[in-house]
Amino acid sequence: MQTYVNVIESTAYINGCWLEPGSRPVKAHYSPLNTELLVGSSTQLSTADVDLAVQSAKQALPSWSALSGMQRANYLFKAAQMLEDHQEELAQLLTAEMGKPLGEARGEVNRAVVLLRYYAGEGLRSIGDVLPATDGISHLYTTRVPLGVVGLITPWNFPVAIPVWKLAPALIFGNTVVWKPAEHATIAAARLMQLLEASGLPPGVVQLVSGSGAVVGQRILDHLDVTGISFTGSDAVGQQVAQAATARHAKYQLEMGGKNATIVLADADLERAADTIISAAMRSAGQKCTATSRVIIEKPVKAQLTSLLVERAKRIQLSDPRDSGCYLGPVVSQRQYASILDFIQSGVREGAEIVAGGQAKMEGEFAKGYYIEPTILDRVDPQSTLAQEEIFGPVLVIHEADDLDHAIQLANGVRYGLAAAIFTHSHKHIHHFVNRIEAGLIKVNGETAGVEPQAPFGGMKLSSSYSREQGRAAIEFFTQVKTVVITP
Ligand code: NAD
């Protein structure tokens, strides 16, 4: 067995202290790129541990929220610097733990640095409005105050960027945090927490609570002192978050799955569309909530674009994600691996035709990890499981459309509404698409995946809870409004 050398001795951080496992269960984490590689081990906390974490966050709240925006910003600037200084090391750990190609992992850490600096800037921006009072003499204005103790529950697919895009706004607006990372991203989470600690954050401002969703996550949902819960993950768990939060009147925010479509019209630049769609579908092994998983092609160019996509998919070499040049590495876990292969098989049973890939890669060292060939399926029934469910793997399905309206109807014909793209040069068609498509993030001649950190991000339908994260939108979730009237 190989052991990944890292500096993580504990994965639980409460009230400024790293917790020794003691009698708590400990879980070993093996890498998806080679399951003989031990990346680290995590402490499985109990509900009593979570209670302690919430209590610490509650105690730290009055002094943290009393700091000025500028004072809190200084911590975020320092945290950004710490991440920048440790970018390579954090990226390598992230890659070892969940299999994201190193180049993308570096990009992810960079993004977190930008997010921290962006939100540090929020500490000096406006937090309210002045309104004209009808009596002509009163001072009528709004201001914003923190929610209080917030619970952040994060997924494994962006182990650094997603926690940071929740932590940074939570902190700058004066909240204290109990953060539960995903099981497959716990070691990177602990390293990120070490870097936040090194930036000087006072004890109790952020706690990291590692363990299972059923115990640790559920306790955060049920704890009466957790005023707000920001969740990113699957829609199945998101429903539980919504129910638990509603039952005890907590504020909640859900960002969930996608089944994102890219439409390609007959006038499009097909070479550019093919490059972009393959990148959107296969990068991060398709494990982005905004990955393109369906391509809807206008009939006259269907055969030509299909062959361009297949040619590109067949050229992709699966490789070790620790290599800087890796384009496609493993998927995150045995469970995800089995589920993706099942989806492909169920698609074939439902009549789809595999035109590229379709198999696990088992030669040599690949057999030790969770590698799946870049896969494209044609003739996919739009109502089939393959076309309707989020697969979260390097799998792209092709549909044919008669015209733009038919393409939009197919694109909208799923429960999700996270991201969508179109390739065309027609302004008329672009506007029609933007008006009719049911998606929170829309790209024209671009990749469904990826959003600028300063722009709001979130989905429609089952992809979201009608809320938005990032950019200025984050203030809506992490604060509450006070309306003030001062009459002389
Ligand atoms: P998941 O729902 O299995 O887990 C997400 C988090 O919820 C984890 O930390 C998990 O431990 C926790 N959890 C599980 N059960 C819980 C419970 N009963 N109570 C409280 N917490 C619980 O999701 P995942 O597999 O980690 O991530 C993949 C999913 O995330 C995909 O569906 C993907 O589309 C989605 N995602 C969405 C976005 C977005 O912004 N829309 C971004 C990234 C990922």
Side-chain angles (χ1 to χ4, degrees):
M1 193 213 297
Q2 313 161 44
T3 302
Y4 183 86
V5 182
N6 67 42
V7 286
I8 306 304
E9 284 171 2
S10 168
T11 56
Y13 181 77
I14 296 176
N15 201 22
C17 298
W18 289 94
L19 235 66
E20 294 293 326
S23 57
R24 298 173 186 88
V26 169
K27 194 171 153 191
H29 292 253
Y30 292 93
S31 176
L33 66 91
N34 177 341
T35 53
E36 291 172 1
L37 177 65
L38 179 66
V39 183
S41 55
S42 65
T43 309
Q44 305 294 295
L45 297 191
S46 64
T47 52
D49 293 323
V50 178
D51 291 351
L52 190 63
V54 175
Q55 193 191 330
S56 305
K58 201 175 166 186
Q59 275 165 4
L61 185 64
S63 51
W64 180 252
S65 58
L67 294 180
S68 69
M70 189 65 225
Q71 286 170 314
R72 289 193 293 262
N74 282 333
Y75 289 101
L76 298 196
F77 280 126
K78 280 187 204 141
Q81 194 57 51
M82 290 302 297
L83 258 68
E84 197 162 52
D85 292 347
H86 294 83
Q87 185 224 28
E88 183 62 21
E89 173 223 321
L90 188 54
Q92 287 187 14
L93 180 58
L94 193 162
T95 294
E97 185 175 22
M98 52 71 74
K100 181 173 291 196
L102 184 56
E104 289 185 68
R106 287 179 182 138
E108 178 173 342
V109 179
N110 265 339
R111 183 194 175 105
V113 171
V114 173
L115 282 158
L116 283 161
R117 294 197 172 123
Y118 174 84
Y119 282 109
E122 285 290 79
L124 284 181
R125 290 193 196 106
S126 156
I127 51 161
D129 297 312
V130 177
L131 300 122
T134 47
D135 66 7
I137 54 165
S138 292
H139 182 198
L140 171 58
Y141 69 97
T142 63
T143 186
R144 284 176 182 268
V145 294
L147 272 184
V149 175
V150 293
L152 309 182
I153 302 180
T154 54
W156 47 263
N157 65 333
F158 284 93
V160 172
I162 291 182
V164 167
W165 86 47
K166 293 181 190 293
L167 277 160
L171 295 179
I172 199 69
F173 296 126
N175 302 279
T176 55
V177 170
V178 177
W179 165 33
K180 190 234 169 282
E183 287 87 325
H184 296 297
T186 306
I187 311 299
R191 184 64 186 127
L192 174 58
M193 188 66 242
Q194 286 181 345
L195 296 171
L196 294 177
E197 180 190 32
S199 69
L201 275 181
V205 171
V206 179
Q207 346 295 312
L208 176 68
V209 287
S210 55
S212 75
V215 176
V216 173
Q218 191 65 44
R219 185 61 188 154
I220 292 174
L221 303 188
D222 294 337
H223 202 298
L224 292 178
D225 288 334
V226 178
T227 320
I229 298 152
S230 179
F231 167 86
T232 299
S234 61
D235 49 291
V237 177
Q239 300 291 333
Q240 296 177 42
V241 175
Q243 280 164 10
T246 307
R248 63 175 184 82
H249 194 57
K251 190 172 181 181
Y252 67 92
Q253 169 185 59
L254 312 173
E255 290 305 334
M256 300 174 286
K259 189 71 188 172
N260 313 299
T262 294
I263 293 174
V264 183
L265 297 185
D267 72 322
D269 175 342
L270 297 187
E271 296 280 344
R272 178 176 166 193
D275 286 337
T276 309
I277 291 164
I278 289 294
S279 169
M282 305 302 171
R283 291 248 181 220
S284 287
Q287 302 171 120
K288 292 179 188 170
C289 51
T290 50
T292 293
S293 60
R294 300 178 292 150
V295 54
I296 301 169
I297 313 174
E298 213 177 8
K299 205 180 259 176
V301 292
K302 155 90 185 332
Q304 195 187 346
L305 181 61
T306 301
S307 82
L308 292 175
L309 290 168
V310 168
E311 182 195 298
R312 282 159 174 76
K314 288 186 171 167
R315 272 208 311 260
I316 295 174
Q317 300 288 320
L318 275 155
S319 62
D320 187 320
R322 291 170 296 186
D323 298 340
S324 286
C326 174
Y327 190 102
L328 179 56
V331 298
V332 71
S333 64
Q334 164 66 37
R335 187 165 157 218
Q336 196 62 17
Y337 178 72
S339 155
I340 296 164
L341 293 171
D342 260 11
F343 269 119
I344 296 171
Q345 287 316 314
S346 83
V348 171
R349 281 196 301 277
E350 288 175 293
E353 180 192 342
I354 296 175
V355 290
Q359 303 289 326
K361 180 105 170 158
M362 298 303 284
E363 293 98 57
E365 289 288 296
F366 288 115
K368 294 181 183 167
Y370 304 128
Y371 294 86
I372 297 176
E373 293 172 344
T375 298
I376 302 181
L377 296 112
D378 195 2
R379 297 180 211 293
V380 178
D381 176 349
Q383 295 313 317
S384 64
T385 316
L386 193 63
Q388 290 288 322
E389 299 300 324
E390 182 183 48
I391 299 171
F392 230 51
V395 179
L396 180 67
V397 306
I398 296 179
H399 299 304
E400 179 178 289
D402 299 331
D403 54 25
L404 176 59
D405 281 329
H406 184 208
I408 293 174
Q409 184 196 327
L410 288 170
N412 287 342
V414 294
R415 294 176 298 156
Y416 297 104
L418 189 53
I422 190 166
F423 280 82
T424 179
H425 295 300
S426 156
H427 276 225
K428 184 174 146 207
H429 288 152
I430 290 169
H431 288 299
H432 189 62
F433 170 76
V434 170
N435 289 335
R436 301 275 304 281
I437 195 71
E438 293 165 353
L441 174 64
I442 299 171
K443 301 283 189 70
V444 175
N445 298 318
E447 190 171 323
T448 50
V451 63
E452 301 256 355
Q454 71 278 23
F457 174 63
M460 297 172 79
K461 304 198 286 191
L462 201 61
S463 294
S464 176
S465 54
Y466 305 96
S467 41
R468 293 291 179 265
E469 296 192 270
Q470 300 197 77
R472 281 244 89 190
I475 199 171
E476 297 299 334
F477 182 75
F478 287 107
T479 62
Q480 45 195 329
V481 174
K482 279 183 174 171
T483 301
V484 184
V485 186
I486 301 175
T487 306

